[in-house]
Amino acid sequence: MSGHPTEGTLDDAALDDAARRLYEAKRTRIPIRQLSLQYPEMTIEDAYAVQRRLVELEVADGRVVRGRKIGLTSRVMQRAVSITEPDYGAIFDDMFFDDGGSVPAGRFIRPRIEVELAFVLGEPLKGPGVTLFDVLRAAEYVTPALEILDARVQMSDPDTGHLRTIVDTIADNAADAGLVLGGRVVTPMDIDLRWVSVLLLRNGVIEESGVAAAVLNHPANGVAWLANRLAPHGVGLEAGEVILAGSFTTPIFAEPGDSFVADYGPLGTVSIAFERSEEQNR
């Protein structure tokens, strides 16, 4: 399967139904069966059409889009899901957690943690033709971040063992669930963003490490890609939006009671803890 735009195959009723079930799965914390099994012919464009309807449901419910996330930016992750480009999802106002704060027990289904840089835009960006240098000019600042992923689609089908595919992830708002911003804020010209490095610790143990250049050779390339990818839909990136530029570590599962610290060295740390349930505390 290519990551390039393809024609949709699902009708409006199917797209609306998938979006509604994903919307309910987030609220009930019961993941739905993989859309890729229900609709084997489902395309990348179908998946984004579901995502757009899902975003509309969230906005109708009172949520506000505050930015975008970019996923699958590393070559190893793209090969793993047989695509040739990243994916993207929407960030809502209720996804932000305080640095050093905690995630309430039961907020997510099966959360995982990734490490990335967040670009906060001072000027709008609209494709086509947006370049890395346009992104560096438009970004007011860059800050370390943790992203929380979750799966509202079953990661593995209980009957067949079939793993979710790229269309499942895209439809599911690119698995976007939460983010934590922290550490030292820098302007894009302060440092060579390619060489920002990080250690990700879970409960004091280093689980992952990475360098920002793993994101498409420069994290700003992901933001440029996103602006250009959204252009055919008449959508731009707005001033004030937070853009998560893509992880440079593999995701780590978060269990109740786990604490995570991303140590960015000169750029400081970002941390989050996951609360235990009342039963687990007994």
Side-chain angles (χ1 to χ4, degrees), residues 30-103:
I30 301 170
I32 67 170
R33 186 168 184 256
Q34 293 163 8
L35 297 172
S36 57
L37 287 178
Q38 183 178 1
Y39 303 112
E41 73 283 9
M42 190 173 184
T43 66
I44 297 271
E45 286 307 296
D46 285 326
Y48 279 120
V50 172
Q51 185 191 115
R52 287 191 291 274
R53 284 163 168 78
L54 178 60
V55 169
E56 288 170 2
L57 290 172
E58 295 282 6
V59 169
D61 203 25
R63 284 167 191 83
V64 179
V65 175
R66 294 289 190 208
R68 306 271 177 174
K69 64 83 53 99
I70 306 162
L72 302 175
T73 49
S74 69
R75 293 297 298 151
V76 64
M77 290 297 287
Q78 289 181 13
R79 282 194 293 268
V81 294
S82 301
I83 63 163
T84 56
E85 69 173 26
D87 67 355
Y88 63 85
I91 295 172
F92 297 105
D93 54 335
D94 64 345
M95 290 183 174
F96 289 81
F97 290 88
D98 291 336
D99 183 18
S102 60
V103 175

Coordinates of all heavy atoms in Angstrom, one line a residue, residues 30-103:
I30 N -13.7 1.2 25.1 CA -13.8 -0.1 24.5 C -13.5 0.0 23.0 O -14.2 0.6 22.2 CB -15.3 -0.7 24.7 CG1 -15.7 -0.7 26.1 CG2 -15.3 -2.1 24.0 CD1 -17.1 -1.1 26.4
P31 N -12.3 -0.5 22.6 CA -11.9 -0.4 21.2 C -12.8 -1.2 20.3 O -13.3 -2.2 20.6 CB -10.5 -0.9 21.2 CG -10.4 -1.8 22.4 CD -11.3 -1.3 23.4
I32 N -12.9 -0.6 19.1 CA -13.8 -1.3 18.0 C -12.9 -2.3 17.2 O -11.7 -2.2 17.3 CB -14.4 -0.2 17.1 CG1 -13.3 0.5 16.2 CG2 -15.2 0.8 17.9 CD1 -13.9 1.3 15.1
R33 N -13.6 -3.1 16.5 CA -12.9 -4.1 15.6 C -12.2 -3.3 14.5 O -12.6 -2.2 14.1 CB -13.9 -5.0 15.0 CG -13.3 -6.1 14.1 CD -14.4 -7.2 13.8 NE -13.8 -8.3 13.0 CZ -13.9 -8.5 11.7 NH1 -14.6 -7.6 11.0 NH2 -13.4 -9.5 11.1
Q34 N -11.1 -3.8 14.0 CA -10.3 -3.1 13.0 C -11.1 -2.8 11.8 O -11.8 -3.7 11.2 CB -9.1 -3.9 12.6 CG -8.1 -4.1 13.8 CD -7.1 -5.2 13.5 OE1 -7.1 -5.8 12.4 NE2 -6.3 -5.5 14.5
L35 N -11.1 -1.5 11.3 CA -11.8 -1.1 10.1 C -11.2 -1.8 8.9 O -11.9 -2.1 7.9 CB -11.7 0.4 9.9 CG -12.4 1.2 11.0 CD1 -12.1 2.7 10.9 CD2 -13.9 1.0 11.0
S36 N -9.9 -2.1 8.9 CA -9.2 -2.8 7.8 C -9.8 -4.2 7.6 O -9.7 -4.8 6.5 CB -7.7 -2.8 8.0 OG -7.4 -3.5 9.3
L37 N -10.3 -4.8 8.7 CA -11.0 -6.2 8.5 C -12.4 -6.0 8.0 O -12.9 -6.8 7.2 CB -10.9 -6.9 9.9 CG -9.6 -7.4 10.3 CD1 -9.7 -8.1 11.7 CD2 -9.0 -8.4 9.3
Q38 N -13.1 -5.0 8.5 CA -14.5 -4.8 8.1 C -14.5 -4.3 6.6 O -15.4 -4.7 5.9 CB -15.1 -3.7 9.0 CG -16.6 -3.5 8.7 CD -17.2 -2.5 9.6 OE1 -16.5 -1.9 10.5 NE2 -18.5 -2.2 9.4
Y39 N -13.5 -3.5 6.3 CA -13.5 -2.9 4.9 C -12.1 -3.2 4.3 O -11.3 -2.3 4.3 CB -13.8 -1.4 4.9 CG -15.1 -1.0 5.6 CD1 -15.1 -0.3 6.8 CD2 -16.3 -1.3 4.9 CE1 -16.3 0.1 7.3 CE2 -17.5 -0.9 5.5 CZ -17.5 -0.2 6.7 OH -18.7 0.2 7.3
P40 N -11.9 -4.4 3.8 CA -10.6 -4.7 3.2 C -10.1 -3.8 2.1 O -8.9 -3.6 1.8 CB -10.7 -6.1 2.7 CG -11.9 -6.7 3.5 CD -12.8 -5.5 3.7
E41 N -11.1 -3.1 1.4 CA -10.8 -2.3 0.3 C -10.5 -0.8 0.7 O -10.3 0.1 -0.1 CB -12.0 -2.3 -0.7 CG -13.2 -1.5 -0.3 CD -14.1 -2.2 0.7 OE1 -13.7 -3.3 1.3 OE2 -15.2 -1.8 1.0
M42 N -10.6 -0.6 2.0 CA -10.4 0.8 2.6 C -9.1 1.4 2.2 O -8.0 0.8 2.3 CB -10.6 0.8 4.1 CG -10.7 2.1 4.7 SD -11.0 1.9 6.5 CE -11.3 3.6 7.0
T43 N -9.1 2.7 1.7 CA -7.9 3.3 1.2 C -7.4 4.4 2.3 O -8.1 4.7 3.2 CB -8.1 4.0 -0.1 OG1 -9.1 5.1 0.1 CG2 -8.7 3.1 -1.2
I44 N -6.2 4.9 2.0 CA -5.7 6.0 2.8 C -6.7 7.2 2.8 O -7.0 7.8 3.9 CB -4.3 6.5 2.3 CG1 -3.3 5.3 2.4 CG2 -3.8 7.7 3.0 CD1 -2.5 5.2 3.7
E45 N -7.2 7.5 1.7 CA -8.1 8.7 1.6 C -9.4 8.4 2.3 O -10.0 9.3 2.9 CB -8.4 9.1 0.1 CG -7.2 9.8 -0.5 CD -6.7 10.9 0.3 OE1 -7.4 11.9 0.5 OE2 -5.5 10.9 0.8
D46 N -9.9 7.1 2.3 CA -11.1 6.8 3.1 C -10.8 7.0 4.6 O -11.6 7.6 5.3 CB -11.4 5.3 2.9 CG -12.1 4.9 1.6 OD1 -12.8 5.8 1.1 OD2 -11.8 3.8 1.1
A47 N -9.6 6.6 5.0 CA -9.2 6.7 6.4 C -9.2 8.2 6.8 O -9.7 8.6 7.9 CB -7.9 6.1 6.7
Y48 N -8.6 9.1 6.0 CA -8.6 10.5 6.3 C -10.1 11.1 6.3 O -10.4 12.0 7.1 CB -7.7 11.3 5.4 CG -6.3 11.2 5.8 CD1 -5.3 10.7 4.9 CD2 -5.8 11.7 7.0 CE1 -4.0 10.6 5.3 CE2 -4.5 11.6 7.4 CZ -3.6 11.1 6.6 OH -2.3 11.0 6.9
A49 N -10.9 10.5 5.4 CA -12.3 11.0 5.4 C -13.0 10.6 6.7 O -13.8 11.4 7.2 CB -13.0 10.4 4.2
V50 N -12.7 9.4 7.2 CA -13.3 9.1 8.5 C -12.7 10.0 9.6 O -13.5 10.5 10.5 CB -12.9 7.6 8.9 CG1 -13.3 7.3 10.3 CG2 -13.6 6.6 7.9
Q51 N -11.4 10.3 9.6 CA -10.8 11.1 10.6 C -11.5 12.5 10.6 O -11.7 13.1 11.6 CB -9.3 11.3 10.3 CG -8.6 12.1 11.4 CD -7.2 12.4 11.1 OE1 -6.8 13.6 10.9 NE2 -6.3 11.4 10.9
R52 N -11.7 13.1 9.4 CA -12.3 14.4 9.3 C -13.7 14.4 9.9 O -14.1 15.3 10.6 CB -12.4 14.9 7.8 CG -11.0 15.3 7.3 CD -11.2 16.0 5.9 NE -11.6 15.1 4.8 CZ -10.8 14.4 4.1 NH1 -9.5 14.4 4.3 NH2 -11.2 13.6 3.1
R53 N -14.5 13.3 9.7 CA -15.8 13.2 10.3 C -15.7 13.1 11.8 O -16.5 13.6 12.6 CB -16.5 12.0 9.7 CG -17.1 12.3 8.3 CD -17.5 11.0 7.6 NE -18.2 11.3 6.4 CZ -17.7 11.7 5.2 NH1 -16.4 11.9 5.1 NH2 -18.5 11.8 4.2
L54 N -14.7 12.3 12.3 CA -14.4 12.2 13.7 C -14.1 13.5 14.3 O -14.6 13.9 15.4 CB -13.3 11.2 13.9 CG -12.9 10.9 15.4 CD1 -14.0 10.4 16.2 CD2 -11.7 9.9 15.4
V55 N -13.3 14.3 13.7 CA -12.9 15.6 14.2 C -14.2 16.5 14.3 O -14.4 17.3 15.2 CB -11.8 16.3 13.3 CG1 -11.7 17.8 13.7 CG2 -10.5 15.6 13.5
E56 N -15.0 16.4 13.3 CA -16.3 17.2 13.3 C -17.2 16.8 14.5 O -17.8 17.7 15.1 CB -17.0 17.0 12.0 CG -16.4 17.6 10.7 CD -17.0 17.2 9.4 OE1 -18.0 16.4 9.5 OE2 -16.6 17.6 8.4
L57 N -17.2 15.5 14.8 CA -18.0 15.1 16.0 C -17.4 15.7 17.3 O -18.1 16.1 18.1 CB -18.0 13.6 16.0 CG -18.8 12.8 15.0 CD1 -18.6 11.3 15.0 CD2 -20.3 13.1 15.1
E58 N -16.1 15.6 17.4 CA -15.4 16.2 18.6 C -15.7 17.7 18.7 O -15.9 18.2 19.8 CB -13.9 15.9 18.5 CG -13.5 14.4 18.6 CD -13.6 13.8 20.0 OE1 -14.1 14.5 20.9 OE2 -13.2 12.7 20.1
V59 N -15.6 18.4 17.6 CA -15.8 19.9 17.6 C -17.2 20.2 18.0 O -17.5 21.1 18.7 CB -15.4 20.5 16.3 CG1 -15.9 21.9 16.2 CG2 -13.9 20.4 16.1
A60 N -18.2 19.4 17.4 CA -19.6 19.6 17.7 C -19.9 19.3 19.2 O -20.8 19.8 19.8 CB -20.4 18.6 16.9
D61 N -19.0 18.5 19.8 CA -19.1 18.2 21.3 C -18.4 19.2 22.1 O -18.4 19.0 23.4 CB -18.5 16.8 21.5 CG -19.0 16.1 22.7 OD1 -20.2 16.4 23.2 OD2 -18.3 15.3 23.3
G62 N -17.9 20.3 21.5 CA -17.3 21.4 22.3 C -15.8 21.5 22.3 O -15.3 22.4 22.9
R63 N -15.2 20.5 21.7 CA -13.7 20.5 21.7 C -13.2 21.5 20.6 O -13.9 21.8 19.6 CB -13.1 19.1 21.5 CG -13.2 18.3 22.8 CD -13.0 16.8 22.6 NE -13.4 16.2 23.8 CZ -14.7 15.9 24.1 NH1 -15.6 16.1 23.2 NH2 -15.0 15.3 25.3
V64 N -12.0 22.0 20.9 CA -11.4 23.0 20.0 C -10.1 22.4 19.4 O -9.3 21.9 20.2 CB -11.1 24.3 20.7 CG1 -10.4 25.3 19.8 CG2 -12.4 24.9 21.4
V65 N -9.9 22.5 18.1 CA -8.6 22.0 17.5 C -7.5 23.0 17.9 O -7.6 24.2 17.5 CB -8.8 21.9 16.0 CG1 -7.4 21.5 15.4 CG2 -9.8 20.8 15.7
R66 N -6.5 22.6 18.5 CA -5.4 23.4 18.9 C -4.1 23.1 18.2 O -3.1 23.8 18.4 CB -5.1 23.2 20.4 CG -6.2 23.7 21.4 CD -6.3 25.2 21.4 NE -7.2 25.6 22.4 CZ -7.9 26.8 22.4 NH1 -7.8 27.5 21.3 NH2 -8.6 27.1 23.4
G67 N -4.1 22.1 17.3 CA -2.9 21.9 16.5 C -3.0 20.5 15.8 O -4.1 20.0 15.6
R68 N -1.9 20.0 15.4 CA -1.8 18.7 14.6 C -0.6 17.9 15.1 O 0.4 18.5 15.6 CB -1.6 19.0 13.2 CG -2.6 20.0 12.5 CD -3.8 19.2 12.0 NE -4.8 20.1 11.5 CZ -5.9 19.8 10.8 NH1 -6.1 18.5 10.7 NH2 -6.8 20.6 10.4
K69 N -0.8 16.6 15.0 CA 0.4 15.7 15.2 C 0.7 15.0 13.9 O -0.1 14.8 13.1 CB 0.1 14.7 16.4 CG -1.0 13.7 16.1 CD -0.6 12.4 15.3 CE 0.5 11.7 15.8 NZ 0.2 10.5 16.7
I70 N 2.0 14.8 13.8 CA 2.5 14.0 12.7 C 3.1 12.7 13.2 O 3.9 12.7 14.2 CB 3.6 14.9 11.9 CG1 3.1 16.2 11.6 CG2 4.1 14.1 10.7 CD1 4.2 17.2 11.2
G71 N 2.8 11.6 12.6 CA 3.3 10.3 13.0 C 3.9 9.6 11.9 O 3.9 10.0 10.7
L72 N 4.6 8.5 12.2 CA 5.2 7.6 11.3 C 6.2 8.4 10.4 O 6.3 8.2 9.2 CB 4.2 6.9 10.4 CG 3.1 6.0 11.1 CD1 2.1 5.5 10.2 CD2 3.8 4.9 11.9
T73 N 7.1 9.2 11.1 CA 8.0 10.0 10.3 C 9.4 9.3 10.1 O 10.1 9.7 9.3 CB 8.3 11.3 11.1 OG1 8.6 11.0 12.5 CG2 7.1 12.2 11.0
S74 N 9.6 8.2 10.9 CA 10.9 7.5 10.7 C 10.8 6.4 9.7 O 9.7 5.8 9.5 CB 11.4 6.9 12.0 OG 10.6 5.9 12.4
R75 N 11.9 6.2 9.0 CA 11.9 5.2 7.9 C 11.5 3.8 8.5 O 10.8 3.0 7.8 CB 13.2 5.1 7.2 CG 13.6 6.4 6.4 CD 12.6 6.6 5.3 NE 12.6 5.5 4.3 CZ 11.6 5.2 3.5 NH1 10.4 5.8 3.7 NH2 11.7 4.2 2.6
V76 N 12.0 3.5 9.7 CA 11.8 2.1 10.2 C 10.3 1.9 10.5 O 9.7 0.9 10.2 CB 12.6 1.9 11.5 CG1 12.3 2.8 12.6 CG2 12.5 0.5 11.9
M77 N 9.6 3.0 11.0 CA 8.2 2.9 11.2 C 7.4 2.8 9.9 O 6.4 2.1 9.8 CB 7.7 4.1 12.1 CG 8.2 4.0 13.5 SD 7.6 2.6 14.4 CE 5.9 3.1 14.7
Q78 N 7.8 3.6 8.9 CA 7.1 3.6 7.6 C 7.2 2.2 7.0 O 6.2 1.7 6.4 CB 7.7 4.6 6.7 CG 7.3 6.1 7.1 CD 7.9 7.1 6.2 OE1 8.3 6.8 5.1 NE2 7.9 8.4 6.6
R79 N 8.4 1.6 7.1 CA 8.6 0.2 6.5 C 7.7 -0.8 7.2 O 7.1 -1.7 6.6 CB 10.0 -0.2 6.6 CG 10.9 0.4 5.5 CD 12.2 -0.3 5.4 NE 13.0 0.0 6.5 CZ 13.9 0.9 6.7 NH1 14.1 1.8 5.7 NH2 14.7 1.1 7.8
A80 N 7.5 -0.6 8.5 CA 6.8 -1.5 9.4 C 5.3 -1.5 8.9 O 4.6 -2.6 9.1 CB 6.9 -1.1 10.8
V81 N 4.8 -0.4 8.4 CA 3.4 -0.4 8.1 C 3.2 -0.2 6.5 O 2.1 0.1 6.1 CB 2.6 0.7 8.8 CG1 2.5 0.4 10.3 CG2 3.2 2.1 8.6
S82 N 4.3 -0.4 5.8 CA 4.2 -0.4 4.3 C 3.6 0.9 3.7 O 2.7 0.9 2.9 CB 3.4 -1.6 3.8 OG 4.0 -2.8 4.3
I83 N 4.1 2.1 4.2 CA 3.7 3.3 3.6 C 5.0 4.1 3.2 O 6.1 3.7 3.6 CB 2.9 4.2 4.5 CG1 3.6 4.6 5.8 CG2 1.5 3.5 4.9 CD1 3.0 5.7 6.6
T84 N 4.8 5.1 2.5 CA 6.0 5.9 2.0 C 6.0 7.4 2.5 O 6.8 8.2 2.1 CB 6.1 5.9 0.5 OG1 4.8 6.4 0.0 CG2 6.3 4.5 0.0
E85 N 5.0 7.7 3.4 CA 4.9 9.0 3.9 C 4.4 9.0 5.3 O 3.8 7.9 5.7 CB 4.1 9.9 3.0 CG 2.6 9.6 3.1 CD 1.7 10.6 2.3 OE1 2.3 11.3 1.4 OE2 0.6 10.8 2.6
P86 N 4.5 10.0 6.1 CA 3.9 10.1 7.5 C 2.4 10.1 7.4 O 1.8 10.1 6.4 CB 4.5 11.4 8.1 CG 5.6 11.8 7.2 CD 5.3 11.3 5.8
D87 N 1.8 10.2 8.6 CA 0.4 10.4 8.7 C 0.2 11.6 9.7 O 1.1 12.1 10.3 CB -0.4 9.2 9.2 CG -0.1 8.7 10.6 OD1 0.8 9.3 11.2 OD2 -0.7 7.8 11.1
Y88 N -1.1 12.0 9.9 CA -1.3 13.1 10.7 C -2.7 13.0 11.4 O -3.6 12.3 11.0 CB -1.3 14.5 10.0 CG -2.3 14.6 8.9 CD1 -3.6 15.1 9.1 CD2 -2.0 14.3 7.5 CE1 -4.6 15.2 8.1 CE2 -3.0 14.4 6.5 CZ -4.2 14.9 6.8 OH -5.2 15.0 5.9
G89 N -2.9 13.8 12.5 CA -4.1 13.8 13.2 C -4.3 15.2 13.9 O -3.4 16.0 13.9
A90 N -5.5 15.4 14.5 CA -5.8 16.6 15.2 C -5.5 16.6 16.6 O -5.7 15.5 17.3 CB -7.2 17.0 14.9
I91 N -5.0 17.7 17.2 CA -4.8 17.9 18.6 C -6.0 18.8 19.2 O -6.2 19.9 18.6 CB -3.5 18.5 18.9 CG1 -2.3 17.6 18.5 CG2 -3.4 18.9 20.4 CD1 -0.9 18.3 18.6
F92 N -6.6 18.3 20.2 CA -7.7 19.1 20.8 C -7.3 19.7 22.1 O -6.3 19.3 22.7 CB -9.0 18.2 21.0 CG -9.5 17.6 19.8 CD1 -9.3 16.3 19.4 CD2 -10.3 18.4 18.9 CE1 -9.9 15.7 18.3 CE2 -10.8 17.9 17.7 CZ -10.6 16.5 17.4
D93 N -8.1 20.7 22.6 CA -7.7 21.4 23.8 C -7.7 20.6 25.0 O -7.0 20.9 26.0 CB -8.7 22.6 23.9 CG -10.2 22.2 23.9 OD1 -10.5 21.1 23.4 OD2 -11.0 22.9 24.5
D94 N -8.5 19.5 25.0 CA -8.5 18.7 26.3 C -7.4 17.6 26.3 O -7.4 16.7 27.2 CB -9.9 18.0 26.4 CG -10.2 17.0 25.3 OD1 -9.5 17.0 24.3 OD2 -11.2 16.2 25.5
M95 N -6.5 17.6 25.3 CA -5.4 16.7 25.3 C -4.1 17.1 26.0 O -3.2 16.4 26.1 CB -5.0 16.4 23.8 CG -6.1 15.6 23.0 SD -5.5 15.2 21.4 CE -6.8 14.2 20.8
F96 N -4.1 18.4 26.4 CA -2.9 18.9 27.0 C -2.8 18.6 28.5 O -3.7 18.8 29.3 CB -2.8 20.5 26.9 CG -2.6 20.9 25.5 CD1 -3.6 21.0 24.5 CD2 -1.3 21.3 25.0 CE1 -3.4 21.4 23.2 CE2 -1.0 21.7 23.7 CZ -2.1 21.8 22.8
F97 N -1.7 18.0 28.9 CA -1.4 17.7 30.3 C -0.2 18.6 30.8 O 0.7 18.9 30.0 CB -1.1 16.2 30.5 CG -2.2 15.3 30.3 CD1 -2.5 14.8 29.0 CD2 -3.0 14.9 31.3 CE1 -3.6 14.0 28.8 CE2 -4.1 14.1 31.1 CZ -4.4 13.6 29.9
D98 N -0.2 18.9 32.1 CA 0.8 19.8 32.6 C 2.1 19.0 32.8 O 2.1 17.8 33.2 CB 0.4 20.3 34.0 CG -0.7 21.3 33.9 OD1 -0.8 22.0 32.9 OD2 -1.4 21.5 34.9
D99 N 3.2 19.6 32.5 CA 4.5 19.0 32.7 C 4.7 18.7 34.2 O 4.4 19.6 35.1 CB 5.6 20.0 32.3 CG 7.0 19.5 32.5 OD1 7.2 18.3 32.6 OD2 8.0 20.3 32.4
G100 N 5.0 17.5 34.6 CA 5.1 17.1 36.0 C 3.8 16.7 36.5 O 3.7 16.3 37.7
G101 N 2.8 16.7 35.7 CA 1.4 16.4 36.2 C 1.1 14.9 36.1 O 2.0 14.0 35.9
S102 N -0.2 14.5 36.2 CA -0.5 13.1 36.2 C -1.7 12.9 35.3 O -2.5 13.8 35.0 CB -0.8 12.6 37.6 OG -1.9 13.4 38.1
V103 N -1.8 11.7 34.7 CA -3.0 11.3 33.9 C -3.9 10.5 34.8 O -3.5 9.5 35.4 CB -2.5 10.4 32.7 CG1 -3.6 9.8 31.9 CG2 -1.5 11.1 31.8

